[in-house]
Amino acid sequence: MKTKKIPMRMCLGCGEMKPKKELVRAVKSKEGEISLDLTGKKSGRGAYICKDMECFKKARKARRFEKEFSCKIEDGIYDMMEKELSDE
């Protein structure tokens, strides 16, 4: 029997390749709205990050979300994403 391929994604914080299911997806919609996609179903440009707050803080400090989405991200959006991540 053939083994199923596990999709791998790179975390923006630690830079490690991990299975997609272990990561949280951040999405930039066509309207330019940035949010966390906890279901993995939202449409738009995606970037992945570990569920660990340390990885989120590293990615925020290095402005990796801004580089990935090619836009400036306000502090309020980062705060909202941090709150959603800590609630999970």
Side-chain angles (χ1 to χ4, degrees):
M1 194 168 168
K2 204 173 186 182
T3 57
K4 198 169 186 182
K5 183 175 180 268
I6 299 170
M8 302 291 277
R9 298 291 183 266
M10 188 189 317
C11 171
L12 289 180
C14 61
E16 289 182 31
M17 294 294 283
K18 295 187 178 184
K20 189 175 167 182
K21 290 187 176 187
E22 290 179 15
L23 302 172
V24 176
R25 184 171 182 246
V27 180
K28 178 183 176 188
S29 67
K30 288 182 180 176
E31 294 80 37
E33 181 183 318
I34 297 170
S35 62
L36 285 183
D37 180 13
L38 301 175
T39 62
K41 304 277 187 212
K42 289 183 182 177
S43 63
R45 175 81 173 121
Y48 292 85
I49 189 142
C50 295
K51 295 175 182 175
D52 181 30
M53 284 308 291
E54 284 302 311
C55 282
F56 180 80
K57 289 177 182 176
K58 280 184 194 174
R60 182 179 180 174
K61 186 176 180 187
R63 300 189 180 278
R64 292 196 181 116
F65 286 108
E66 294 180 12
K67 289 174 187 160
E68 191 70 28
F69 295 136
S70 302
C71 70
K72 177 86 172 98
I73 301 174
E74 302 296 322
D75 286 336
I77 295 170
Y78 277 126
D79 295 338
M80 181 194 66
M81 288 169 57
E82 190 172 341
K83 184 179 182 304
E84 282 183 45
L85 197 60
S86 63
D87 287 348
E88 188 187 90

